Amino acid sequence: MFLSKKPINVLASLTLAATVAFTAAAPSALAVTQPEADTPLKKENLQKLSVQDVTKLKNGVKLDLGTHEAYIRLFDKDLAKVSVLEKGEKEFESPGVEKKANEWKTPRFSANGSTDKYTLKTSEITVEIKMEPFGVRFLDKKGNVINEDYLDKGTSGYEDGKPYVFKKTDEGEDFYGFGEQSGLDVNKRGDSIGLWNTDAYGYTKDTKYLYTAIPFFIGLKDEKAYGIFFDNTHRSYYEMASESDDYYYFYANGGKLTYYFTYGPEVGDVIDRYTELTGKMDVPAKWSLGLHQSKWGYTADEIVDVAKTYRDKKIPLDTMHFDIDYMDGYRVFTWNEQYKQALKKLESMPGFHSIAINDPAVKQDENYRHYQEGTKNDYWAKNADGTPFIGPVWPGDSAFPDFSKEEVRDWWAKNHDVLLNEGIDGIWNDMNEPAVFLDDERHSHTMPLDTYFGTEDNKIWHTEYHNLYGHDEADATYQAFKEQKPGTRPFVLTRDMYAGTQRYAALWTGDNVSNWEHLQMSLPMNMNIGMSGVSFVGNDIGGFASRPDPELFARWIEVGAFLPFARIHYDSDAKAEVKQGQEPWAFGPEVEKISKKYIEMRYQLLPYLYNEFKEAADSGKPVQQPLVYQFQEDEKTYDISDQYMFGDSMMLAPVVKQGQTSRDVYLPEGVNWTDYWTGKEYEGGQTINVEAKLDHLPIFVKKESIIPTREVQQYTDEKPLTNLVLDTYLDEEASYTFYEDDGKSEDYKQGKYNLTKFEVERKRNSIEFEQKRVERDYDESKLEQYTLKLNNVEKPSKVRAGRTKYEEVGSLEETQGKTNTFFYDEGAKTLYVSIPADEKKDVKISQGNLIHAEAKVNVKVNK
């Protein structure tokens, strides 16, 4: 029976079919190229397997299914791997998996069998295996069913070579993740999803196949979360209760049936475990968290002039990007001399970093060294007949490196010396789906499916390797930094990912469009990418294709300033009807002022943002989070797609619709909220309406929060961090652990960092603030003072540290650089206390004539 929350989108399906038909008939750079038609699963042809024998293993069980066999292995107390294979086949583990099967410490578990079921039980989950017919279900430690196979249509197995699994569901279960997906909804229940990396220039909300394939999703059922990683690199499909509210299923065009199941019950627990399996990201270099500026088509002079204009207008910027124009005839690892000189000029200007684009295609040119080397050493992907595959891309007919080979990845990494030795700081991998400019039925904008990789005696067909191509290229690019800039944090930006690519690269969401739909779509898209283990994600601010008008750009820069990866990037003028620049000043004084305001906010928040990325590196936590990530016990958050949490404490409610000057904002229950701009406080669990004029981005701060900030800089390393502002929103108790390292080297991996824990607690009518230095192994900290900013408090009658009386001053400016002072803003009811970073005595704050209790600041120095 079909009762889904979302109706089947017949119109979307017709639109997609029309797009496919149009693309096949008339290839165009403006058309969204789709792969060949979907391969449906024939439900009347599903297998009906049963368990005929059971063999207990060291970490699980092996099941004899007659023609097939299954392995269920316990990797941890809340993580299991399920494999169904033809007899004699080896279990599969893709390059997306970083922590291999033999690296897990098997948890304690019990194994018990009966005539109708076999049970594996850890301290957190129970795996029940039904014998006839074969089926698997997972229960929590209280015996509640978390997830189970749906057996009405057959058991899990293979349909004409296609591995598949059906799962039970009900109306109350919701789904998130799946990597990069189109659409306007963060909740993917009711969707038909496909994963096949596709160069989808100008995609729409109805485009099924985009640039990145991450076969991982999170189910949320009865307020408890689980995750499933379908480790299959072939083109795969996910029917998420799109046909019935009774089941969902996933399958692939080929490969083996392998999936991992992990239980939360918190969403964050699921992502943490998944990224332990597939790899954690590095802590990024601080400069990469600043603003980036880019355009396809900047001349060499324009790159320098745009950078200078940012500095002249005092709009913060860290990085300029070099698009394909910098190359010699689009040949990779070459320079046009004019752009090399532009890079030198850029390097002579304070604080600028540079990123160069790189494509995988190597021009077929007998006089071109890289083509000669690749041909001599048999480094290219091959046609079915064994000859190198040659296809047209930007440089013309080109060969494509076979990144499945370690020696090719090593060669590719080595060739980056041409870029890194000139001073390039980051590499931007584009066109790595891989894209090929042939849109006939055989190619579908990529290599034919019978192209192969690997060796003659171990061929990997394009059907299997396609979704891994960009992953292995990112690996090679990451290794280039390790080899050629050792000790420096790599920065790799990619358009194409598989599961696990987050350990090598950041992601941008490809060639979006300058329209309101794309601005709206970017929010759920980024949130689901974050829920798929990729925290470092962003979209081209303002849109890439076409051009925004001033209103759209203003709204987009408000969002863009609060993206994990923040880059303005736009298309060539040759492809745009309106020859409109996309720098902040290109839209007139009003939009320039708005842009500067929010870009400066990003730079003020860099200590907060950097700490969020440290947590992302530790646990996989998204930086841009759907509300459900933090508030999974509040069902009203499950379908909110136009609000998001920027880190732990700040909730943004952007305007994403044309002409809108007010909007409703839902404040999740369980916490109280403060309007960032006005200081007005609200209880959670309600919807309010707020004004949102063109220059206003509604922001709400979760109470019990401390947000570390600093002064505005024009670039991230312009000034040392000497004064850390602790912006505190207190009801009863708030705490924050502040992380600090050098922001550029990999010394933090050897423990060279500081951790300081701040705790603020209200006791009756007083407040107590405590600082505890947890780790002190980073000796280069320049911190001299903390400015404790307490919002919505009464004016203190005195502030003391032992016998030292803090001086009341008449302005906030007087507290900066002058410790043992305080300032009280009567209008805002905000107290600023300037405390020496090395203060060893208690700082006591007495509030009001009638308040005798004191707030206490303890500074504990651990040597």
Side-chain angles (χ1 to χ4, degrees):
M1 183 171 60
F2 182 80
L3 295 169
S4 180
K5 291 179 182 177
K6 300 179 183 179
I8 294 178
N9 196 334
V10 176
L11 179 59
S13 300
L14 292 173
T15 303
L16 179 58
T19 304
V20 174
F22 171 78
T23 305
S28 166
L30 296 176
V32 178
T33 306
Q34 296 292 345
E36 70 283 358
D38 288 350
T39 306
L41 194 68
K42 298 176 182 177
K43 300 186 188 64
E44 69 279 5
N45 198 29
L46 304 186
Q47 289 190 302
K48 294 178 173 59
L49 302 172
S50 59
V51 179
Q52 299 178 15
D53 192 23
V54 178
T55 303
K56 185 181 176 184
L57 305 173
K58 182 179 177 181
N59 64 351
V61 65
K62 176 182 177 181
L63 307 169
D64 183 348
L65 304 177
T67 57
H68 292 72
E69 54 194 15
Y71 294 86
I72 300 177
R73 299 188 185 272
L74 297 170
F75 284 0
D76 214 313
K77 60 186 178 180
D78 52 12
L79 177 64
K81 180 182 181 182
V82 179
S83 304
V84 178
L85 311 165
E86 290 188 7
K87 279 198 169 177
E89 284 188 318
K90 292 183 179 180
E91 293 170 81
F92 177 72
E93 196 173 59
S94 79
V97 174
E98 180 180 56
K99 190 171 182 179
K100 305 300 183 182
N102 60 1
E103 298 179 69
W104 294 89
K105 183 179 179 181
T106 303
R108 289 187 177 183
F109 72 97
S110 61
N112 296 288
S114 65
T115 56
D116 61 342
K117 70 179 179 181
Y118 194 91
T119 301
L120 304 173
K121 187 173 185 178
T122 73
S123 61
E124 291 296 326
I125 62 171
T126 298
V127 185
E128 282 187 357
I129 303 157
K130 187 176 181 181
M131 310 291 275
E132 176 67 41
F134 165 63
V136 181
R137 72 173 181 169
F138 301 91
L139 300 87
D140 66 17
K141 59 186 175 183
K142 295 182 179 179
N144 301 308
V145 176
I146 309 163
N147 178 267
E148 64 180 306
D149 289 357
Y150 180 80
L151 301 175
D152 288 18
K153 296 181 181 296
T155 63
S156 58
Y158 296 81
E159 188 276 303
D160 193 23
K162 298 187 288 293
Y164 67 86
V165 180
F166 277 73
K167 294 288 187 179
K168 280 188 179 181
T169 187
D170 55 44
E171 289 184 73
E173 189 169 7
D174 300 295
F175 304 105
Y176 308 91
F178 305 98
E180 182 181 8
Q181 296 299 319
S182 62
L184 304 179
D185 298 312
V186 68
N187 186 349
K188 293 303 177 184
R189 183 179 180 87
D191 282 8
S192 295
I193 291 168
L195 298 183
W196 178 256
N197 293 338
T198 302
D199 178 8
Y201 179 94
Y203 57 95
T204 74
K205 64 180 176 59
D206 300 316
T207 304
K208 186 170 183 177
Y209 296 93
L210 297 181
Y211 301 90
T212 281
I214 301 178
F216 170 74
F217 65 90
I218 295 170
L220 186 60
K221 177 182 177 183
D222 298 327
E223 299 179 2
K224 299 179 181 69
Y226 67 86
I228 290 179
F229 169 35
F230 180 34
D231 191 15
N232 187 297
T233 65
H234 292 71
R235 185 175 172 188
S236 56
Y237 312 84
Y238 304 78
E239 298 294 340
M240 305 310 296
S242 54
E243 299 174 354
S244 167
D245 266 341
D246 296 332
Y247 63 84
Y248 66 88
Y249 62 99
F250 48 92
Y251 67 102
N253 279 357
K256 297 175 183 177
L257 177 47
T258 304
Y259 72 91
Y260 297 80
F261 175 91
T262 185
Y263 178 55
E266 300 297 319
V267 173
D269 297 334
V270 173
I271 299 173
D272 189 7
R273 185 65 82 195
Y274 165 73
T275 51
E276 182 181 5
L277 177 67
T278 60
K280 309 286 188 185
M281 68 174 290
D282 289 334
V283 179
K286 280 185 182 177
W287 66 263
S288 68
L289 304 185
L291 183 67
H292 300 235
Q293 178 68 50
S294 181
K295 177 192 175 183
W296 175 24
Y298 274 146
T299 65
D301 289 341
E302 285 174 335
I303 288 176
V304 177
D305 290 344
V306 168
K308 285 181 177 178
T309 305
Y310 266 97
R311 292 287 184 261
D312 291 344
K313 290 180 173 289
K314 297 191 181 305
I315 300 173
L317 183 72
D318 267 86
T319 305
M320 293 296 298
H321 286 235
F322 287 67
D323 210 323
I324 55 176
D325 317 277
Y326 82 88
M327 302 178 193
D328 175 15
Y330 304 141
R331 295 170 177 83
V332 293
F333 305 121
T334 66
W335 281 94
N336 175 306
E337 187 61 32
Q338 290 180 315
Y339 286 88
K340 188 183 288 188
Q341 295 306 312
L343 176 60
K344 290 180 179 179
K345 291 178 183 177
L346 194 68
E347 290 176 326
S348 71
M349 300 164 63
F352 276 109
H353 289 83
S354 56
I355 291 176
I357 201 169
N358 205 30
D359 293 347
V362 177
K363 183 176 179 62
Q364 186 183 32
D365 179 349
E366 299 300 335
N367 299 314
Y368 174 32
R369 177 172 66 87
H370 297 93
Y371 178 74
Q372 292 171 344
E373 289 180 358
T375 301
K376 177 182 177 182
N377 293 301
D378 192 26
Y379 283 169
W380 309 132
K382 295 179 180 177
N383 295 307
D385 63 5
T387 59
F389 170 78
I390 302 296
V393 204
W394 294 117
D397 283 347
S398 302
F400 289 77
D402 178 359
F403 291 119
S404 74
K405 297 178 178 177
E406 184 177 2
E407 63 268 28
V408 177
R409 297 197 297 274
D410 291 344
W411 172 71
W412 195 254
K414 179 182 177 181
N415 284 324
H416 281 78
D417 60 351
V418 173
L419 305 174
L420 299 179
N421 288 348
E422 291 296 332
I424 288 293
D425 301 293
I427 301 296
W428 162 21
N429 287 345
D430 194 16
M431 304 295 291
N432 52 347
E433 290 70 37
V436 178
F437 293 164
L438 292 170
D439 294 298
D440 55 66
E441 191 172 291
R442 176 168 162 74
H443 292 85
S444 298
H445 210 71
T446 189
M447 300 176 189
L449 299 182
D450 60 359
T451 307
Y452 70 92
F453 304 81
T455 59
E456 292 301 319
D457 58 353
N458 187 23
K459 296 179 179 178
I460 309 171
W461 298 104
H462 187 214
T463 51
E464 179 180 356
Y465 191 63
H466 177 88
N467 284 345
L468 281 173
Y469 193 83
H471 173 90
D472 280 349
E473 184 200 22
D475 180 359
T477 309
Y478 180 86
Q479 294 307 321
F481 285 88
K482 296 292 187 179
E483 295 167 10
Q484 300 182 37
K485 301 185 75 172
T488 301
R489 300 184 197 180
F491 180 80
V492 181
L493 180 66
T494 185
R495 192 171 79 173
D496 174 5
M497 281 189 170
Y498 183 69
T501 316
Q502 70 272 359
R503 60 189 190 253
Y504 306 128
L507 178 72
W508 101 101
T509 60
D511 297 338
N512 61 352
V513 183
S514 299
N515 61 38
W516 289 92
E517 178 184 283
H518 267 262
L519 173 57
Q520 184 178 355
M521 179 165 53
S522 70
L523 304 185
M525 179 178 285
N526 290 355
M527 289 187 273
N528 275 315
I529 291 169
M531 296 280 269
S532 305
V534 183
S535 299
F536 208 172
V537 61
N539 329 94
D540 289 341
I541 297 171
F544 178 73
S546 189
R547 293 290 188 270
D549 63 16
E551 180 191 3
L552 177 57
F553 186 83
R555 292 303 192 189
W556 212 316
I557 197 70
E558 290 169 6
V559 171
F562 298 93
L563 294 176
F565 172 65
R567 179 181 73 162
I568 300 170
H569 179 50
Y570 62 111
D571 206 346
S572 166
D573 288 338
K575 295 171 71 175
E577 294 181 10
V578 178
K579 311 305 180 188
Q580 168 70 58
Q582 216 154 293
E583 298 73 31
W585 54 86
F587 300 90
E590 181 184 15
V591 174
E592 180 181 337
K593 183 179 179 181
I594 292 169
S595 300
K596 184 176 182 180
K597 170 184 173 180
Y598 287 99
I599 294 167
E600 286 184 341
M601 274 192 70
R602 181 181 184 87
Y603 278 75
Q604 284 180 301
L605 287 164
L606 278 175
Y608 172 73
L609 180 58
Y610 189 64
N611 272 253
E612 291 296 328
F613 268 102
K614 176 58 169 66
E615 290 192 40
D618 289 343
S619 69
K621 184 182 79 171
V623 174
Q624 184 176 0
Q625 307 159 4
L627 301 190
V628 68
Y629 176 84
Q630 289 196 35
F631 304 101
Q632 70 185 63
E633 294 180 359
D634 183 353
E635 292 187 6
K636 291 182 180 177
T637 66
Y638 292 4
D639 297 309
I640 293 179
S641 305
D642 61 352
Q643 298 174 217
Y644 65 92
M645 296 297 297
F646 182 64
D648 277 342
S649 302
M650 303 180 72
M651 181 176 69
L652 277 60
V655 170
V656 292
K657 295 181 180 178
Q658 187 173 14
Q660 191 173 12
T661 56
S662 66
R663 61 156 295 167
D664 287 341
V665 177
Y666 178 67
L667 305 173
E669 66 182 13
V671 296
N672 295 327
W673 299 86
T674 299
D675 187 314
Y676 178 82
W677 304 105
T678 67
K680 187 175 180 179
E681 299 185 355
Y682 298 89
E683 289 186 5
Q686 62 172 317
T687 299
I688 62 173
N689 187 269
V690 297
E691 293 295 317
K693 295 180 180 179
L694 184 61
D695 66 346
H696 184 71
L697 168 65
I699 301 175
F700 294 84
V701 179
K702 190 171 65 174
K703 295 300 290 287
E704 317 294 37
S705 292
I706 300 172
I707 300 174
T709 68
R710 63 167 299 161
E711 81 275 26
V712 174
Q713 304 175 91
Q714 293 306 300
Y715 51 92
T716 51
D717 294 323
E718 183 182 18
K719 304 170 188 174
L721 176 60
T722 58
N723 176 29
L724 184 68
V725 179
L726 302 173
D727 191 7
T728 305
Y729 298 79
L730 184 67
D731 272 344
E732 299 296 332
E733 185 175 2
S735 65
Y736 191 90
T737 301
F738 179 71
Y739 173 85
E740 186 183 18
D741 63 19
D742 65 17
K744 56 186 178 182
S745 79
E746 295 193 317
D747 290 352
Y748 74 95
K749 293 183 178 181
Q750 281 71 52
K752 301 295 184 182
Y753 59 84
N754 293 341
L755 283 179
T756 308
K757 186 174 183 179
F758 304 105
E759 293 183 348
V760 184
E761 185 178 0
R762 188 182 298 276
K763 294 185 176 180
R764 299 179 63 186
N765 293 325
S766 67
I767 298 171
E768 182 174 314
F769 174 94
E770 182 180 6
Q771 175 199 176
K772 182 177 181 181
R773 297 183 177 185
V774 180
E775 297 285 348
R776 271 297 183 275
D777 292 309
Y778 170 55
D779 298 328
E780 299 175 23
S781 175
K782 300 297 190 294
L783 270 173
E784 298 173 357
Q785 76 175 69
Y786 302 118
T787 298
L788 175 63
K789 179 184 176 185
L790 294 170
N791 296 280
N792 291 326
V793 297
E794 299 299 323
K795 182 176 181 179
S797 58
K798 61 181 178 179
V799 180
R800 298 183 68 89
R803 295 183 179 181
T804 303
K805 182 179 179 181
Y806 276 44
E807 176 189 358
E808 182 178 4
V809 295
S811 68
L812 174 60
E813 288 72 24
E814 292 177 74
T815 68
Q816 307 306 290
K818 185 178 181 182
T819 56
N820 305 110
T821 61
F822 72 93
F823 167 69
Y824 185 74
D825 185 332
E826 291 277 0
K829 295 188 69 177
T830 302
L831 174 65
Y832 302 86
V833 182
S834 176
I835 304 168
D838 60 353
E839 178 67 78
K840 293 180 176 63
K841 296 181 179 179
D842 294 350
V843 178
K844 299 182 178 181
I845 303 168
S846 300
Q847 291 187 296
N849 295 329
L850 301 178
I851 299 176
H852 302 289
E854 296 176 328
K856 184 176 178 183
V857 181
N858 295 319
V859 180
K860 299 180 181 178
V861 181
N862 296 339
K863 295 185 179 179

